[in-house]
Amino acid sequence: MKRREFFKISAVGATALAGLGLNNFIMAGDPPEFAPISGSGQEVEARIDSKTGQVQTNPNIIMRHSACLGCYSSCGNRVKIDKRTGKILRVFGNPYNPHNAGPALSYGAPLTESYLAFSTYQGRGHKGRATLCARGNATLDAHYDPYRNLVPLKRIGKRGEGKWKPIAWEQAIQETVEGGELFKDLGEKAVEGFRQVYDVKTPMDPSQPELGPKSNQLVLIGGRGDGRTPYAARFMGAFGSVNNFSHGYS
């Protein structure tokens, strides 16, 4: 197709849309209220005057800037929450995080700037609009996954059978610390808890002193470095075990 023919067809298409009353979809105007234009949409978090940049936030919606845990890239996210129900409605990119936006907002920029960063005011939404990858957007589904573990699970079958039952956090802490005949009904031996393992003086194996104290029997294989890893390292150091491993260790 020649360039001239392409422009002719484009002009005809635009004229047809206008004739069908769809010309308003070509350039959206300022929303008249917070309610969605269509029944399937969500309330907007704010109304912004595209000429003056004035921001009017929705009293039913709260926006929080946080960190995405979808992978190990340490990106940010912007979470849209319904104040009335506490439900997370959407996740966006964090305009303050350089992993999500370019240029990113300075950390000292007021929150009104974060709303403008997604708007048509001065074309800001087209310049540095913060985004999330598909995996980051999928964290919303993971948060509301009906199969997500919300309480500790205790094994009630032999190893590998995949049989579990939910228990209270208090019971999980008690059994982890004190140990005992936790699987007596399965015919297994007593299990030592943290209290019995914590011993920085007695050798784990007197015939192999290089293995260190009994506390080294506690081995922690952690996950990501989003704040939990430093906490785990401090705990393992206080416990007296050198066997602290994290993501990427070999």
Side-chain angles (χ1 to χ4, degrees), residues 115-191:
Y115 290 98
L116 293 175
F118 289 87
S119 74
T120 58
Y121 175 65
Q122 296 180 343
R124 297 190 186 185
H126 301 295
K127 297 177 181 177
R129 186 186 185 96
T131 59
L132 272 181
C133 71
R135 188 166 182 172
N137 279 279
T139 57
L140 181 59
D141 294 328
H143 183 76
Y144 289 111
D145 189 338
Y147 296 104
R148 180 185 179 192
N149 291 335
L150 301 177
V151 296
L153 300 177
K154 182 177 180 179
R155 180 168 56 86
I156 57 174
K158 295 185 180 299
R159 292 183 179 275
E161 288 185 344
K163 296 180 180 179
W164 307 85
K165 71 174 180 179
I167 61 175
W169 285 101
E170 292 76 12
Q171 180 182 346
I173 295 173
Q174 173 72 17
E175 295 186 354
T176 301
V177 174
E178 302 298 342
E181 297 181 331
L182 309 182
F183 305 97
K184 182 178 180 181
D185 55 328
L186 300 176
E188 299 184 15
K189 298 180 179 179
V191 179

Coordinates of all heavy atoms in Angstrom, one line a residue, residues 115-191:
Y115 N -0.2 11.7 41.6 CA -1.5 11.7 40.8 C -1.3 12.3 39.4 O -1.7 11.8 38.4 CB -2.6 12.4 41.5 CG -3.1 11.7 42.8 CD1 -2.6 12.0 44.0 CD2 -4.0 10.7 42.7 CE1 -3.0 11.4 45.2 CE2 -4.5 10.0 43.8 CZ -4.0 10.4 45.1 OH -4.4 9.7 46.2
L116 N -0.6 13.4 39.4 CA -0.3 14.1 38.1 C 0.5 13.3 37.2 O 0.4 13.4 35.9 CB 0.4 15.5 38.4 CG -0.5 16.5 39.1 CD1 0.3 17.7 39.4 CD2 -1.7 16.9 38.3
A117 N 1.4 12.4 37.7 CA 2.3 11.6 36.9 C 1.5 10.6 36.1 O 2.1 10.1 35.1 CB 3.3 10.9 37.8
F118 N 0.3 10.4 36.4 CA -0.6 9.4 35.6 C -1.6 10.2 34.8 O -2.5 9.5 34.2 CB -1.3 8.4 36.5 CG -0.3 7.4 37.1 CD1 0.3 7.7 38.3 CD2 -0.1 6.2 36.5 CE1 1.2 6.8 38.9 CE2 0.8 5.3 37.1 CZ 1.4 5.6 38.3
S119 N -1.6 11.5 34.7 CA -2.6 12.3 34.1 C -2.1 12.8 32.8 O -1.0 12.7 32.4 CB -3.0 13.5 35.0 OG -2.0 14.4 35.0
T120 N -3.1 13.5 32.1 CA -2.8 14.2 30.8 C -2.3 15.6 31.1 O -2.0 16.3 30.1 CB -4.0 14.2 29.9 OG1 -5.1 14.8 30.6 CG2 -4.4 12.7 29.6
Y121 N -2.3 16.1 32.3 CA -1.9 17.4 32.6 C -0.4 17.6 32.1 O 0.5 16.9 32.6 CB -2.0 17.7 34.1 CG -1.5 19.1 34.5 CD1 -2.1 20.2 34.1 CD2 -0.3 19.2 35.3 CE1 -1.6 21.5 34.4 CE2 0.1 20.4 35.7 CZ -0.5 21.6 35.2 OH 0.0 22.8 35.6
Q122 N -0.2 18.6 31.2 CA 1.1 18.9 30.7 C 1.7 17.6 30.0 O 3.0 17.5 29.9 CB 2.0 19.5 31.7 CG 1.5 20.8 32.2 CD 2.5 21.4 33.3 OE1 3.3 20.7 33.8 NE2 2.3 22.7 33.5
G123 N 0.9 16.6 29.7 CA 1.4 15.4 29.1 C 2.3 14.6 30.0 O 3.1 13.7 29.5
R124 N 2.1 14.7 31.3 CA 3.0 14.0 32.2 C 2.8 12.5 32.1 O 3.7 11.7 32.3 CB 2.8 14.5 33.6 CG 3.1 15.9 33.8 CD 3.1 16.3 35.3 NE 3.3 17.8 35.5 CZ 3.5 18.4 36.6 NH1 3.4 17.6 37.8 NH2 3.6 19.7 36.7
G125 N 1.6 12.1 31.9 CA 1.3 10.6 31.8 C 2.0 10.0 30.6 O 2.1 8.8 30.6
H126 N 2.4 10.8 29.7 CA 3.0 10.2 28.5 C 4.6 10.3 28.6 O 5.3 9.8 27.8 CB 2.6 11.0 27.2 CG 1.1 10.9 27.0 ND1 0.4 9.8 26.7 CD2 0.1 11.9 27.0 CE1 -0.9 10.0 26.6 NE2 -1.1 11.3 26.8
K127 N 5.1 11.1 29.6 CA 6.5 11.3 29.7 C 7.1 10.3 30.7 O 8.1 9.6 30.3 CB 6.8 12.7 30.2 CG 6.3 13.8 29.2 CD 6.6 15.2 29.8 CE 6.1 16.3 28.8 NZ 6.3 17.6 29.4
G128 N 6.7 10.2 31.9 CA 7.3 9.4 32.9 C 6.3 8.4 33.6 O 6.5 8.1 34.7
R129 N 5.3 8.0 32.9 CA 4.3 7.2 33.5 C 4.9 5.9 34.0 O 5.6 5.2 33.3 CB 3.2 6.8 32.4 CG 2.0 6.1 33.0 CD 1.1 5.6 31.8 NE -0.1 5.0 32.3 CZ -1.2 5.6 32.5 NH1 -1.3 6.9 32.2 NH2 -2.3 5.0 33.0
A130 N 4.7 5.7 35.3 CA 5.2 4.5 35.9 C 4.4 3.2 35.6 O 3.2 3.3 35.5 CB 5.2 4.7 37.5
T131 N 5.2 2.1 35.3 CA 4.5 0.9 34.9 C 5.0 -0.3 35.7 O 6.1 -0.2 36.4 CB 4.8 0.6 33.4 OG1 6.2 0.5 33.2 CG2 4.2 1.7 32.5
L132 N 4.3 -1.4 35.6 CA 4.7 -2.6 36.2 C 4.7 -3.7 35.1 O 3.9 -3.6 34.2 CB 3.7 -3.1 37.3 CG 4.0 -2.6 38.8 CD1 2.9 -3.2 39.7 CD2 5.4 -3.0 39.3
C133 N 5.5 -4.7 35.3 CA 5.5 -5.8 34.3 C 4.3 -6.7 34.5 O 3.6 -6.5 35.5 CB 6.8 -6.6 34.4 SG 7.0 -7.6 35.9
A134 N 4.1 -7.7 33.7 CA 3.0 -8.6 33.8 C 3.1 -9.3 35.1 O 2.0 -9.6 35.8 CB 3.0 -9.6 32.7
R135 N 4.3 -9.7 35.5 CA 4.4 -10.4 36.8 C 4.0 -9.5 38.0 O 3.4 -10.0 39.0 CB 5.8 -11.0 36.9 CG 6.0 -11.9 38.1 CD 7.3 -12.6 38.0 NE 7.5 -13.6 39.1 CZ 8.5 -14.4 39.1 NH1 9.4 -14.5 38.2 NH2 8.6 -15.3 40.2
G136 N 4.4 -8.3 37.9 CA 4.1 -7.3 39.0 C 2.6 -7.1 39.1 O 2.0 -7.1 40.2
N137 N 1.9 -7.1 37.9 CA 0.4 -6.9 38.0 C -0.2 -8.2 38.5 O -1.3 -8.1 39.1 CB -0.1 -6.6 36.5 CG 0.1 -5.2 36.2 OD1 -0.8 -4.4 36.6 ND2 1.1 -4.8 35.4
A138 N 0.4 -9.3 38.3 CA -0.2 -10.6 38.7 C -0.1 -10.8 40.2 O -0.7 -11.7 40.8 CB 0.5 -11.8 38.0
T139 N 0.7 -9.9 40.9 CA 0.8 -10.1 42.4 C -0.6 -9.9 43.0 O -0.8 -10.4 44.1 CB 1.8 -9.1 43.0 OG1 1.4 -7.7 42.6 CG2 3.2 -9.4 42.5
L140 N -1.5 -9.1 42.3 CA -2.8 -8.9 42.9 C -3.6 -10.2 42.9 O -4.3 -10.5 43.9 CB -3.6 -7.9 42.0 CG -5.0 -7.6 42.4 CD1 -5.0 -7.0 43.9 CD2 -5.6 -6.6 41.5
D141 N -3.4 -11.0 41.8 CA -4.0 -12.4 41.8 C -3.4 -13.3 42.9 O -4.1 -14.1 43.5 CB -3.9 -13.0 40.4 CG -4.6 -12.3 39.3 OD1 -5.7 -11.7 39.7 OD2 -4.1 -12.2 38.2
A142 N -2.1 -13.2 43.1 CA -1.5 -14.0 44.1 C -2.0 -13.6 45.5 O -2.1 -14.5 46.4 CB 0.0 -13.8 44.0
H143 N -2.2 -12.3 45.7 CA -2.7 -11.9 47.0 C -4.0 -12.5 47.4 O -4.3 -12.8 48.6 CB -2.7 -10.4 47.1 CG -3.1 -9.8 48.4 ND1 -2.2 -9.7 49.5 CD2 -4.3 -9.3 48.8 CE1 -2.8 -9.2 50.5 NE2 -4.1 -8.9 50.2
Y144 N -4.9 -12.6 46.4 CA -6.2 -13.1 46.6 C -6.4 -14.6 46.1 O -7.5 -15.0 46.0 CB -7.3 -12.2 45.9 CG -7.4 -10.9 46.6 CD1 -7.0 -9.7 46.0 CD2 -7.9 -10.8 47.9 CE1 -7.1 -8.5 46.6 CE2 -8.1 -9.5 48.5 CZ -7.6 -8.4 47.9 OH -7.7 -7.2 48.5
D145 N -5.3 -15.3 46.0 CA -5.4 -16.7 45.6 C -6.1 -17.5 46.6 O -5.7 -17.5 47.8 CB -4.0 -17.2 45.3 CG -3.9 -18.6 44.7 OD1 -4.9 -19.3 44.8 OD2 -2.9 -18.9 44.1
P146 N -7.2 -18.2 46.3 CA -7.9 -19.0 47.3 C -7.0 -20.1 47.9 O -7.4 -20.6 49.0 CB -9.1 -19.5 46.6 CG -8.7 -19.5 45.1 CD -7.8 -18.3 45.0
Y147 N -6.0 -20.5 47.3 CA -5.1 -21.5 47.8 C -3.9 -21.0 48.5 O -3.0 -21.8 48.9 CB -4.6 -22.4 46.6 CG -5.8 -23.2 46.0 CD1 -6.3 -22.8 44.7 CD2 -6.4 -24.3 46.6 CE1 -7.3 -23.4 44.1 CE2 -7.4 -24.9 46.0 CZ -7.9 -24.5 44.8 OH -8.9 -25.2 44.2
R148 N -3.8 -19.7 48.8 CA -2.7 -19.1 49.5 C -2.7 -19.6 50.9 O -3.7 -19.6 51.6 CB -2.8 -17.6 49.4 CG -1.7 -16.8 50.1 CD -2.0 -15.4 50.0 NE -0.9 -14.6 50.7 CZ -1.0 -13.3 51.0 NH1 -2.1 -12.7 50.7 NH2 0.0 -12.7 51.7
N149 N -1.5 -19.9 51.4 CA -1.4 -20.3 52.8 C -1.4 -19.1 53.7 O -0.6 -18.2 53.6 CB 0.0 -21.0 53.0 CG 0.0 -22.4 52.4 OD1 -1.0 -23.0 52.1 ND2 1.2 -22.9 52.1
L150 N -2.4 -19.1 54.6 CA -2.6 -18.0 55.5 C -2.3 -18.3 57.0 O -2.2 -17.5 57.8 CB -4.0 -17.5 55.5 CG -4.5 -17.0 54.1 CD1 -6.0 -16.6 54.1 CD2 -3.6 -15.8 53.6
V151 N -2.1 -19.6 57.3 CA -1.8 -20.1 58.6 C -0.7 -21.2 58.5 O -0.5 -21.8 57.4 CB -3.1 -20.7 59.3 CG1 -4.1 -19.6 59.6 CG2 -3.7 -21.8 58.5
P152 N -0.1 -21.5 59.6 CA 0.9 -22.6 59.5 C 0.2 -23.9 59.2 O -0.9 -24.2 59.6 CB 1.5 -22.6 60.9 CG 1.2 -21.3 61.5 CD -0.1 -20.9 60.9
L153 N 0.9 -24.8 58.5 CA 0.4 -26.1 58.2 C 1.3 -27.2 58.8 O 2.6 -27.1 58.7 CB 0.4 -26.4 56.7 CG -0.5 -25.4 55.9 CD1 -0.4 -25.7 54.4 CD2 -2.0 -25.5 56.3
K154 N 0.7 -28.2 59.5 CA 1.5 -29.3 60.1 C 1.3 -30.6 59.3 O 0.1 -30.9 59.0 CB 1.1 -29.4 61.6 CG 1.9 -30.5 62.3 CD 1.5 -30.6 63.8 CE 2.3 -31.7 64.5 NZ 1.9 -31.8 65.9
R155 N 2.3 -31.3 59.1 CA 2.3 -32.5 58.4 C 1.5 -33.6 59.2 O 1.8 -33.8 60.4 CB 3.7 -33.1 58.1 CG 3.7 -34.4 57.3 CD 5.1 -34.6 56.8 NE 6.1 -34.6 57.8 CZ 6.5 -35.7 58.6 NH1 5.9 -36.8 58.4 NH2 7.4 -35.6 59.5
I156 N 0.5 -34.3 58.6 CA -0.2 -35.3 59.3 C -0.1 -36.6 58.6 O -0.8 -37.6 59.0 CB -1.7 -34.9 59.4 CG1 -2.3 -34.7 58.0 CG2 -1.9 -33.7 60.3 CD1 -3.8 -34.4 58.0
G157 N 0.8 -36.7 57.7 CA 1.0 -38.0 57.0 C 2.5 -38.2 56.9 O 3.3 -37.4 57.4
K158 N 2.9 -39.3 56.3 CA 4.3 -39.6 56.1 C 4.9 -38.6 55.1 O 4.2 -38.0 54.3 CB 4.5 -41.0 55.6 CG 4.1 -42.1 56.6 CD 4.4 -43.5 56.1 CE 3.9 -44.6 57.1 NZ 4.6 -44.4 58.4
R159 N 6.2 -38.4 55.2 CA 6.9 -37.5 54.4 C 6.7 -37.8 52.9 O 6.8 -39.0 52.5 CB 8.4 -37.5 54.6 CG 8.8 -36.9 56.0 CD 10.3 -36.9 56.2 NE 10.7 -36.3 57.5 CZ 10.8 -35.0 57.7 NH1 10.6 -34.2 56.8 NH2 11.1 -34.6 58.9
G160 N 6.3 -36.8 52.1 CA 6.0 -37.0 50.7 C 4.6 -37.3 50.4 O 4.2 -37.3 49.2
E161 N 3.7 -37.6 51.4 CA 2.3 -37.9 51.1 C 1.5 -36.6 50.8 O 0.4 -36.7 50.3 CB 1.7 -38.6 52.3 CG 2.2 -40.1 52.4 CD 1.5 -40.8 53.5 OE1 0.8 -40.2 54.4 OE2 1.5 -42.1 53.5
G162 N 2.0 -35.5 51.2 CA 1.3 -34.2 51.0 C 0.0 -34.0 51.8 O -0.9 -33.4 51.4
K163 N 0.0 -34.6 53.0 CA -1.1 -34.4 53.9 C -0.8 -33.4 55.0 O 0.2 -33.6 55.7 CB -1.5 -35.8 54.5 CG -1.9 -36.8 53.5 CD -2.3 -38.1 54.2 CE -2.7 -39.2 53.2 NZ -3.0 -40.5 53.8
W164 N -1.6 -32.4 55.2 CA -1.4 -31.3 56.1 C -2.6 -30.9 56.8 O -3.7 -31.2 56.3 CB -0.8 -30.1 55.4 CG 0.4 -30.4 54.5 CD1 0.4 -30.9 53.2 CD2 1.8 -30.3 54.9 NE1 1.7 -31.1 52.8 CE2 2.6 -30.7 53.8 CE3 2.4 -29.9 56.1 CZ2 3.9 -30.7 53.8 CZ3 3.8 -29.9 56.1 CH2 4.5 -30.3 55.0
K165 N -2.5 -30.2 57.9 CA -3.6 -29.6 58.6 C -3.2 -28.3 59.1 O -2.1 -28.0 59.5 CB -4.1 -30.5 59.8 CG -3.1 -30.5 61.0 CD -3.8 -31.3 62.1 CE -2.8 -31.3 63.3 NZ -3.4 -32.1 64.5
P166 N -4.2 -27.3 59.1 CA -3.8 -26.0 59.6 C -3.8 -26.0 61.1 O -4.5 -26.7 61.8 CB -5.0 -25.1 59.1 CG -6.1 -26.1 58.9 CD -5.5 -27.4 58.5
I167 N -2.8 -25.2 61.7 CA -2.7 -25.1 63.2 C -2.6 -23.6 63.5 O -2.3 -22.8 62.6 CB -1.5 -25.9 63.7 CG1 -0.2 -25.4 63.1 CG2 -1.7 -27.4 63.5 CD1 1.0 -26.0 63.7
A168 N -2.8 -23.3 64.8 CA -2.6 -21.9 65.2 C -1.2 -21.5 65.3 O -0.3 -22.3 65.4 CB -3.3 -21.8 66.6
W169 N -1.0 -20.2 65.1 CA 0.4 -19.7 65.2 C 1.0 -20.0 66.6 O 2.2 -20.3 66.6 CB 0.4 -18.2 65.0 CG 0.2 -17.8 63.6 CD1 -1.0 -17.3 63.0 CD2 1.2 -17.8 62.5 NE1 -0.8 -17.1 61.7 CE2 0.5 -17.4 61.3 CE3 2.5 -18.2 62.4 CZ2 1.1 -17.3 60.1 CZ3 3.1 -18.1 61.2 CH2 2.5 -17.6 60.1
E170 N 0.2 -19.9 67.6 CA 0.8 -20.2 69.0 C 1.3 -21.7 69.1 O 2.3 -21.9 69.7 CB -0.3 -20.0 70.0 CG -0.7 -18.5 70.2 CD -1.6 -18.0 69.1 OE1 -2.1 -18.8 68.3 OE2 -1.8 -16.8 69.1
Q171 N 0.5 -22.6 68.5 CA 1.0 -24.0 68.5 C 2.2 -24.2 67.6 O 3.1 -24.9 68.0 CB -0.1 -24.9 67.9 CG 0.2 -26.4 67.9 CD -0.8 -27.3 67.3 OE1 -2.0 -26.8 67.1 NE2 -0.5 -28.5 66.9
A172 N 2.3 -23.5 66.5 CA 3.5 -23.6 65.7 C 4.7 -23.1 66.4 O 5.8 -23.8 66.3 CB 3.3 -22.8 64.4
I173 N 4.6 -22.0 67.1 CA 5.7 -21.5 67.8 C 6.1 -22.4 69.0 O 7.3 -22.7 69.2 CB 5.4 -20.0 68.4 CG1 5.2 -19.1 67.2 CG2 6.5 -19.5 69.3 CD1 4.7 -17.7 67.6
Q174 N 5.1 -22.9 69.7 CA 5.4 -23.8 70.8 C 6.1 -25.0 70.4 O 7.1 -25.4 71.0 CB 4.0 -24.2 71.5 CG 4.1 -25.2 72.6 CD 4.7 -24.7 73.9 OE1 4.8 -23.5 74.1 NE2 5.1 -25.6 74.7
E175 N 5.7 -25.7 69.3 CA 6.3 -26.9 68.9 C 7.6 -26.7 68.3 O 8.6 -27.5 68.4 CB 5.4 -27.6 67.9 CG 4.0 -28.1 68.5 CD 3.2 -28.9 67.6 OE1 3.6 -29.0 66.4 OE2 2.2 -29.4 68.0
T176 N 7.8 -25.5 67.6 CA 9.1 -25.2 67.0 C 10.2 -25.0 68.1 O 11.3 -25.4 67.9 CB 9.0 -24.0 66.1 OG1 8.0 -24.2 65.0 CG2 10.3 -23.7 65.4
V177 N 9.8 -24.3 69.1 CA 10.7 -24.0 70.2 C 11.0 -25.1 71.1 O 12.1 -25.4 71.5 CB 10.2 -22.7 71.0 CG1 11.1 -22.5 72.2 CG2 10.2 -21.5 70.1
E178 N 9.9 -25.8 71.5 CA 10.1 -26.9 72.5 C 10.3 -28.3 72.0 O 10.8 -29.1 72.6 CB 8.8 -26.9 73.4 CG 8.5 -25.6 74.1 CD 9.6 -25.2 75.1 OE1 10.4 -26.0 75.5 OE2 9.6 -24.0 75.5
G179 N 9.9 -28.5 70.7 CA 10.1 -29.8 70.1 C 9.2 -30.8 70.8 O 8.1 -30.5 71.4
G180 N 9.6 -32.1 70.8 CA 8.9 -33.2 71.5 C 8.4 -34.2 70.5 O 8.8 -34.3 69.3
E181 N 7.4 -35.0 71.0 CA 6.9 -36.1 70.1 C 5.8 -35.5 69.2 O 4.6 -35.8 69.4 CB 6.3 -37.2 71.0 CG 7.4 -37.9 71.8 CD 6.9 -39.0 72.7 OE1 5.7 -39.0 73.1 OE2 7.7 -40.0 73.0
L182 N 6.2 -34.7 68.3 CA 5.3 -34.0 67.5 C 4.5 -34.8 66.5 O 3.4 -34.5 66.0 CB 6.0 -32.8 66.7 CG 6.8 -31.9 67.6 CD1 7.5 -30.8 66.7 CD2 6.0 -31.3 68.7
F183 N 5.2 -36.0 66.1 CA 4.6 -36.9 65.1 C 4.5 -38.3 65.7 O 4.7 -39.3 65.0 CB 5.4 -36.9 63.8 CG 5.6 -35.5 63.2 CD1 6.8 -34.8 63.5 CD2 4.6 -34.9 62.5 CE1 6.9 -33.5 63.0 CE2 4.8 -33.6 61.9 CZ 5.9 -32.9 62.2
K184 N 4.1 -38.4 67.0 CA 4.0 -39.6 67.6 C 3.0 -40.6 67.0 O 3.2 -41.8 66.9 CB 3.7 -39.4 69.1 CG 3.6 -40.7 69.9 CD 3.3 -40.4 71.4 CE 3.3 -41.7 72.2 NZ 2.9 -41.4 73.7
D185 N 1.9 -40.0 66.5 CA 0.8 -40.8 65.9 C 1.3 -41.4 64.6 O 0.6 -42.3 64.1 CB -0.4 -39.9 65.7 CG -0.2 -38.7 64.9 OD1 1.0 -38.1 65.0 OD2 -1.0 -38.2 64.2
L186 N 2.4 -40.9 64.0 CA 2.9 -41.4 62.8 C 4.0 -42.4 63.0 O 4.6 -42.9 62.1 CB 3.4 -40.3 61.9 CG 2.4 -39.3 61.5 CD1 3.0 -38.2 60.7 CD2 1.2 -39.9 60.7
G187 N 4.3 -42.7 64.3 CA 5.4 -43.6 64.7 C 6.8 -43.1 64.5 O 7.7 -43.8 64.5
E188 N 6.9 -41.7 64.5 CA 8.2 -41.1 64.4 C 8.8 -40.7 65.7 O 8.1 -40.6 66.7 CB 8.1 -39.9 63.5 CG 7.6 -40.2 62.1 CD 7.6 -39.0 61.2 OE1 8.3 -38.0 61.5 OE2 7.0 -39.0 60.1
K189 N 10.1 -40.6 65.8 CA 10.8 -40.2 67.0 C 10.6 -38.8 67.4 O 10.1 -38.0 66.6 CB 12.3 -40.5 66.8 CG 12.7 -42.0 66.6 CD 14.2 -42.1 66.4 CE 14.5 -43.6 66.1 NZ 16.0 -43.7 66.0
A190 N 10.9 -38.5 68.6 CA 10.8 -37.1 69.1 C 11.7 -36.2 68.3 O 12.8 -36.6 67.8 CB 11.1 -37.0 70.6
V191 N 11.3 -34.9 68.2 CA 12.0 -33.9 67.4 C 12.5 -32.9 68.4 O 11.8 -32.4 69.2 CB 11.1 -33.2 66.4 CG1 11.9 -32.2 65.6 CG2 10.5 -34.3 65.4

